[in-house]
Amino acid sequence: MNLDWRALDRWMMGEAMTGSRIEAHVRELCENIGPRWSSSEAEKEAIAYIQGQLEAGELDRVALEEYQVDTWAWSRAKARVAPGDFPVDVLPFNRCPPFNVRGAIVDVGYGTPREIQQVRNRLAGSVAVMFLAFEPFTTPVHHACRLRLLAEAGALVGVVIEKKDGRRMEYHSASDWRDPGLQEHPLPTVVTSREHGALLQRFAREDRELEVGVESRFYTAPSANVVGELSGVRWPEEHLVLGGHHDTVYGAPGGNDNASGTIAVMETARVLAQLRAQTGCAPGRTVRFVTFSAEEQKLQGASAYVARHHGPETPPRLAINLDELSTGPIKGIVLGFPHLRDLVQEQLDTMNEGLKCHVMAQIDPSSDHFPFLQAGLDAAFLWRWRFHSRHADAGFHHEGGDTADKLNVRELKEYVGQLARVLLRLSHVPPEEWPRNAMTPGQVQARLEEERGAVVRVF
């Protein structure tokens, strides 16, 4: 099939720029609906909105894929220093169990094995205060490993000092997401602001105590992924996946994380559907558009999607995950496995935008591409901010400040246009030109065993 790529590119970029519905989508998701913790009523509203928007397009199929999410909620978090009754900023880590304790404050610095050994005789029954950041000039150790060391030393609670300024705090997880199971805590853990962390370190030198507690509960609830499909005209039994999560952490409107990715999925679907409707040019292989739930709860939506589809059907040629697209401009695609690198780079080169294809040195567990990689499926994320060109306001992450204004509308239009272009190209690459994926789940698991605990290279 001979395609006029210059004319198609002009059409897709023009539609992405001038036909954009980004501003309407971000207002609805971030302002009218707001924080979208998976299992909440707001998430249900977001799912209904996304489904309606996809159905209003000219896709061939739109469906909800429901499942039960293993979730958590908290209602109170409080801490005070005694004597003196000084209140301290605290925010529970995701899936923090309910607890209420009082113990001596012990400063463990960065929580490295060396520092923990220095205060080990004081840690039993204590409240350990630890920097979230890595100790300078040393091999970085994942904070989940450091929390386990504190638990083994007998600390009752971990109070982790946030890296952000201005008494801002964000939600964190207490586990390495490469570990099996959910985000269970080796010991109850909360985050405190950088400013109050400095005070706690001083209070530790004064032999003071901290009373700290969290009220929380665990439960299961229904949630759903939203799936739309544009059928291929040459190899309809094969497919590509474009996905991004629609949920947020507690209390965050999620402008960048991840209304940006959700909207890019919807807009790319719209552009490709309109391309077919108005020019007759359809994808060669089917393109599936998915918004995942519960990414912020250890990727449960993407895991449910992979479990549902991997096995009964032909695996995707490639799944591209969209997350935090307003942290920086598009620079290329990052693959989980290396065998597609040359093929993807060839397609990017035909676009003449200077976009590059790279391969992660480690299996990255940070977002919804990870469940695909665990299953040995080809998956990628977009190279948008890692290593350089990170926007300054990208630091409003997992907190209430991630508002609608953090979504960069102009750049997101470019993302949509470029995604439509690369997906259409990949959809028309003949099956015999795709290198064979030799990765198996067993090989992935072996790699994870080697890499677990090591810090994934981000910057």
Side-chain angles (χ1 to χ4, degrees), residues 106-396:
V106 177
D107 178 8
V108 299
Y110 294 91
T112 62
R114 173 188 61 83
E115 291 172 304
I116 290 175
Q117 185 59 38
Q118 288 176 337
V119 295
R120 180 171 290 273
N121 63 339
R122 297 167 48 209
L123 278 173
S126 73
V127 175
V129 178
M130 180 188 86
F131 283 116
L132 178 65
F134 303 125
E135 183 178 21
F137 307 107
T138 65
T139 300
V141 178
H142 197 290
H143 67 264
C145 299
R146 292 179 273 159
L147 291 174
R148 284 197 292 269
L149 291 175
L150 290 177
E152 291 166 4
L156 295 179
V157 178
V159 179
V160 175
I161 301 174
E162 180 62 80
K163 293 182 285 186
K164 298 178 178 180
D165 294 320
R167 293 179 67 180
R168 290 164 50 209
M169 299 178 290
E170 71 171 73
Y171 286 95
H172 300 280
S173 298
S175 72
D176 181 340
W177 280 11
R178 292 166 290 193
D179 292 338
L182 289 172
Q183 312 158 49
E184 311 309 351
H185 289 217
L187 76 171
T189 306
V190 298
V191 64
T192 190
S193 64
R194 178 175 174 176
E195 292 76 8
H196 280 190
L199 290 174
L200 289 175
Q201 290 178 311
R202 191 188 81 199
F203 293 147
R205 296 191 295 270
E206 298 172 1
D207 297 324
R208 297 179 61 183
E209 294 185 333
L210 186 71
E211 182 177 340
V212 56
V214 168
E215 292 179 4
S216 63
R217 65 186 180 96
F218 296 84
Y219 60 101
T220 59
S223 188
N225 301 318
V226 188
V227 182
E229 199 165 273
L230 195 61
S231 297
V233 293
R234 302 178 70 185
W235 311 285
E237 72 284 356
E238 294 190 6
H239 71 284
L240 302 164
V241 174
L242 184 70
H245 72 93
H246 57 244
D247 64 305
T248 69
V249 298
Y250 256 101
N256 180 34
D257 188 16
N258 186 36
S260 65
T262 300
I263 292 169
V265 171
M266 292 194 291
E267 279 288 283
T268 306
R270 182 188 64 79
V271 168
L272 288 175
Q274 285 295 302
L275 177 72
R276 184 180 68 175
Q278 297 190 32
T279 73
C281 180
R285 54 180 49 82
T286 297
V287 182
R288 196 173 288 171
F289 304 93
V290 188
T291 69
F292 301 110
S293 78
E295 189 269 356
E296 304 292 2
Q297 301 187 54
K298 205 175 181 185
L299 320 175
Q300 290 186 64
S303 297
Y305 177 88
V306 170
R308 179 176 184 139
H309 292 278
H310 179 50
E313 62 183 39
T314 303
R317 285 293 188 180
L318 180 64
I320 300 176
N321 177 45
L322 309 181
D323 201 354
E324 296 188 59
L325 299 189
S326 291
T327 46
I330 185 171
K331 298 191 286 294
I333 292 176
V334 186
L335 300 171
F337 306 137
H339 55 275
L340 296 182
R341 185 173 193 165
D342 291 344
L343 181 145
V344 173
Q345 187 62 62
E346 287 171 5
Q347 301 308 310
L348 294 177
D349 287 345
T350 68
M351 295 164 58
N352 198 30
E353 298 284 356
L355 301 177
K356 299 298 181 183
C357 183
H358 293 282
V359 180
M360 282 291 291
Q362 297 156 294
I363 296 177
D364 177 15
S366 65
S367 189
D368 285 320
H369 48 272
F370 183 58
F372 290 88
L373 297 176
Q374 279 184 298
L377 304 176
D378 281 308
F381 58 85
L382 294 189
W383 183 21
R384 67 268 192 223
W385 56 265
R386 291 183 173 191
F387 309 117
H388 66 80
S389 303
R390 181 181 174 93
H391 293 325
D393 61 4
F396 288 91

